[in-house]
């Protein structure tokens, strides 16, 4: 077998910046190719299949680890985290119970305890790795409902004295709509609170809505503050939300799926002040912690409520030890992959200080991008200390601009609508590989593109 893992990773690392970012391929092209080569009737040499699949992945997908991919929080990934995922696949440990995977369970626990401390949550916090942010948010809603309504687990929603209400803004992640649907509280249980001009939750409107809903017989349960919204990187006023939730006896969940990593940076952590007051936190390692998908994390300061929400008992699972509750009884998942190794291995290799440097580098690249587009005549329309820049200019049709941007392989950015305004361009620095010259080159090419597009239309 010629397959050499290290060479494969090294080749991608050295080639990625000079290659294409955006594929030009149709579904038919891929389907015809697969149909013509893979009918699974005969065996093939593994080396040949690996080479072929890698070629498909190079040609036929958006290269999210490219330094000029300014995308949807999908990061470049560290070598240690790639090795970790391979090791996990090799050993395939079962993390559902402590007994079946003592080492893996303790490695996850150790890693989560480190981040629990960074968030300022108590050491008794219950934390687990999840498939991603959506599962962590789902966990939060289930645990909050369980704590607010002791009858919820056995009697279901029909046993509740009033319909639960959860408070979000339009900028909160849309996973909450699916969660409201899946948990049976219904999508209308999500109450949309107004935002201020910086797209942060408006506290007065929150207070008004909670009071109004109580008067109308609803049961307010939870407020979701987002630390780094998906569209614009806005950070809700966490200290105010924490105070409000305490005074109203509401569950305070902070969705820090992307922005949460800023907690380890001395330069950025001040922007997350108040997160230590959260009842629960979502933070994705597979976003700003630069490890492969899927690696979300759920932190909750109420271990009893977590244990109650996910309790399970069977004769066929290995019995519990005195090491603590088994993960299949404290989380949504049952069989569980060793998700946490990629964060553990990367942290252990780089050390905290290099990780901080990686995160702060991306924040600086975000600042540079913001300054550069402004200098080049673009209007920045979002406000955040995080490396996410939304911008436009008079007459810009974002979709058309992006089509041409992709065609010229300048960069990958996306289109987003903030409030009711026309779509703008969204660019988020997600790669530790992005350099100042990448930024300057991209902004220069965008200026040329704008001139070209205006020549075509006049
Ligand atoms: C703020 C926020 N929360 C939750 C999620 C969902 O995370 P995941 O895609 O890991 O499930 C995202 C995804 O981008 C997000 O931006």
């Amino acid at each position: 077998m010629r397959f050499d893992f290290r060479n494969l990773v090294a080749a991608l690392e050295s080639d990625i910046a000079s290659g294409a970012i955006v594929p030009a391929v149709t579904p038919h092209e891929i389907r015809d190719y697969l149909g013509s080569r893979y009918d699974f009737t005969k065996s093939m040499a593994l080396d040949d299949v690996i080479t072929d699949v890698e070629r498909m992945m190079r040609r036929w997908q958006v290269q999210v680890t490219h330094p000029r991919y300014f995308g949807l929080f999908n990061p470049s990934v560290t070598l240690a985290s790639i090795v970790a995922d391979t090791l996990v696949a090799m050993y395939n440990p079962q993390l559902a119970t402590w007994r079946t995977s003592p080492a893996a369970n303790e490695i996850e626990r150790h890693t989560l305890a480190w981040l629990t401390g960074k968030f300022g949550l108590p050491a008794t916090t219950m934390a687990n790795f999840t498939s991603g942010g959506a599962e962590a948010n789902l966990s939060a809603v289930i645990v909050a409902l369980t704590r607010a309504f002791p009858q919820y687990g056995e009697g279901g929603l029909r046993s509740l004295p009033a319909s639960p209400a959860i408070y979000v803004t339009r900028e909160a992640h849309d996973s909450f709509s699916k969660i409201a649907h899946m948990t049976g509280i219904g999508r209308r249980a999500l109450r949309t609170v107004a935002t201020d001009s910086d797209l942060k939750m408006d506290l007065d409107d929150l207070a008004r809505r909670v009071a109004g809903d109580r008067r109308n017989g609803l049961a307010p349960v939870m407020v979701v503050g987002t630390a780094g919204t998906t569209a614009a990187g806005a950070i809700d006023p966490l200290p105010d939300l924490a105070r409000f939730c305490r005074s109203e006896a509401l569950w305070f969940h902070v969705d820090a799926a992307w922005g949460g990593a800023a907690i380890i940076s001395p330069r950025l952590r001040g922007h997350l002040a108040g997160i230590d007051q959260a009842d629960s936190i979502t933070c994705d390692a597979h976003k700003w912690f630069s490890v492969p998908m899927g690696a979300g994390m759920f932190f909750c300061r109420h271990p009893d409520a977590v244990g109650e929400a996910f309790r399970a008992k069977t004769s066929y699972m290995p019995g519990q030890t005195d090491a603590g509750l088994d993960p299949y009884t404290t989380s949504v998942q049952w069989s569980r992959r060793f998700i946490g190794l990629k964060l553990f291995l990367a942290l252990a290799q780089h050390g905290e200080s290099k990780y901080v440097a990686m995160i702060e580098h991306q924040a600086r690249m975000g600042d540079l991008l913001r300054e550069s587009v402004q200098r080049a005549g673009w209007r920045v329309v979002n406000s955040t200390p995080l490396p996410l820049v939304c911008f436009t200019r008079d007459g810009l049709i974002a979709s058309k601009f992006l089509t041409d941007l992709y065609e010229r392989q300048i960069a990958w950015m996306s289109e987003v609508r903030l409030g009711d305004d026309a779509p703008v361009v969204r660019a988020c620095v997600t790669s530790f590989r992005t350099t100042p010259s990448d930024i300057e080159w991209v902004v220069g090419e965008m200026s040329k593109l704008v001139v070209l597009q205006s020549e075509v239309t006049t």
Side-chain angles (χ1 to χ4, degrees):
M1 182 167 157
R2 292 173 321 236
F3 172 64
D4 181 327
F5 178 70
R6 261 188 175 269
N7 277 347
L8 200 67
V9 177
L12 180 63
E13 284 205 348
S14 76
D15 299 351
I16 187 82
S18 55
I21 311 169
V22 192
V25 65
T26 64
H28 281 305
E29 208 176 329
I30 304 175
R31 287 170 200 169
D32 289 349
Y33 184 80
L34 290 172
S36 68
R37 288 180 71 92
Y38 296 100
D39 62 4
F40 307 128
T41 55
K42 55 186 182 314
S43 60
M44 297 173 78
L46 181 58
D47 279 329
D48 293 345
V49 183
I50 292 171
T51 305
D52 188 44
V53 169
E54 218 227 331
R55 198 169 138 264
M56 285 192 261
M57 294 179 85
R58 286 267 189 129
R59 287 170 60 208
W60 290 340
Q61 65 185 13
V62 173
Q63 299 301 332
V64 304
T65 70
H66 196 292
R68 301 198 308 273
Y69 170 78
F70 298 109
L72 297 168
F73 301 151
N74 311 122
S76 289
V77 289
T78 59
L79 175 63
S81 65
I82 301 171
V83 172
D85 257 6
T86 311
L87 276 174
V88 170
M90 265 170 62
Y91 283 94
N92 200 25
Q94 166 60 291
L95 271 76
T97 64
W98 192 92
R99 235 178 240 285
T100 45
S101 294
N105 267 303
E106 290 301 325
I107 287 172
E108 285 203 341
R109 193 178 297 222
H110 185 73
T111 311
L112 291 165
W114 170 78
L115 203 50
T116 296
K118 296 287 169 199
F119 280 130
L121 294 174
T124 49
T125 292
M126 177 79 86
N128 58 264
F129 280 96
T130 63
S131 55
E135 185 193 323
N137 285 341
L138 171 65
S139 308
V141 172
I142 294 171
V143 178
L145 287 170
T146 302
R147 189 154 188 269
F149 306 106
Q151 66 274 51
Y152 168 68
E154 292 300 321
L157 289 176
R158 65 190 166 283
S159 66
L160 306 194
S163 297
I166 293 180
Y167 298 82
V168 296
T169 69
R170 261 171 77 169
E171 301 300 315
H173 192 260
D174 212 40
S175 54
F176 284 101
S177 302
K178 287 167 65 172
I179 291 163
H181 190 139
M182 291 188 292
T183 52
I185 61 173
R187 294 180 189 240
R188 277 206 297 274
L190 291 187
R191 320 295 288 165
T192 308
V193 179
T195 49
D196 65 14
S197 56
D198 286 339
L199 302 173
K200 299 176 183 192
M201 189 179 278
D202 178 330
L203 196 71
D204 292 339
D205 192 53
L206 172 66
R208 252 192 316 274
R209 277 173 198 274
V210 169
D213 284 349
R214 286 200 204 281
R215 270 197 309 278
N216 291 326
L218 297 181
V221 173
M222 174 192 230
V223 176
V224 177
T226 308
T229 58
T230 318
I235 301 174
D236 283 326
L238 305 182
D240 293 343
L241 298 185
R243 254 189 310 277
F244 177 78
C245 287
R246 219 174 15 254
S247 69
E248 293 282 331
L250 296 173
W251 185 284
F252 178 35
H253 176 67
V254 179
D255 181 354
W258 172 56
I263 201 71
I264 71 168
S265 153
R267 187 162 94 74
L268 298 169
R269 74 165 67 105
H271 299 293
L272 302 187
I275 200 167
D276 58 323
Q277 303 298 308
D279 291 290
S280 56
I281 297 173
T282 287
C283 178
D284 277 351
H286 69 205
K287 292 191 165 70
W288 209 354
F289 278 110
S290 299
V291 307
M293 288 174 268
M297 292 172 280
F298 172 61
F299 300 84
C300 180
R301 71 162 68 234
H302 307 289
D304 292 349
V306 176
E308 173 58 23
F310 300 115
R311 72 189 147 83
K313 201 166 168 48
T314 67
S315 61
Y316 50 77
M317 295 298 280
Q320 204 173 302
T321 66
D322 57 8
L325 291 175
D326 286 325
Y328 82 101
T329 67
T330 59
S331 61
V332 171
Q333 296 181 33
W334 198 284
S335 286
R336 279 172 36 81
R337 184 180 162 83
F338 187 6
I339 298 168
L341 185 61
K342 38 196 162 191
L343 183 56
F344 172 86
L345 215 68
L347 270 169
Q349 187 204 356
H350 296 293
E352 192 178 313
S353 61
K354 270 214 185 130
Y355 239 104
V356 171
M358 223 153 61
I359 284 169
E360 293 188 349
H361 168 76
Q362 289 168 73
R364 271 198 308 280
M365 293 304 100
D367 293 343
L368 182 59
L369 178 62
R370 197 171 294 113
E371 289 154 21
S372 303
V373 291
Q374 276 171 324
R375 236 183 294 120
W378 297 84
R379 204 164 56 250
V380 171
V381 294
N382 69 321
S383 167
T384 176
L386 307 178
L388 197 169
V389 188
C390 297
F391 53 94
T392 189
R393 61 200 307 145
D394 290 347
L396 185 89
I397 299 168
S399 57
K400 166 93 182 75
F401 175 76
L402 289 172
T403 303
D404 289 351
L405 192 82
Y406 299 160
E407 207 166 272
R408 287 167 174 72
Q409 300 292 343
I410 296 171
W412 196 92
M413 298 175 182
S414 55
E415 179 184 332
V416 73
R417 251 193 133 98
L418 302 182
D420 296 320
D421 294 342
V424 297
V425 179
R426 173 193 182 282
C428 180
V429 178
T430 60
S431 175
F432 49 76
R433 298 197 175 108
T434 304
T435 62
S437 47
D438 288 318
I439 304 273
E440 298 297 352
W441 185 83
V442 166
V443 176
E445 292 301 304
M446 290 198 312
S447 297
K448 288 187 210 160
L449 190 54
V450 168
V451 172
L452 216 68
Q453 286 189 336
S454 69
E455 282 170 2
V456 171
T457 49
T458 51

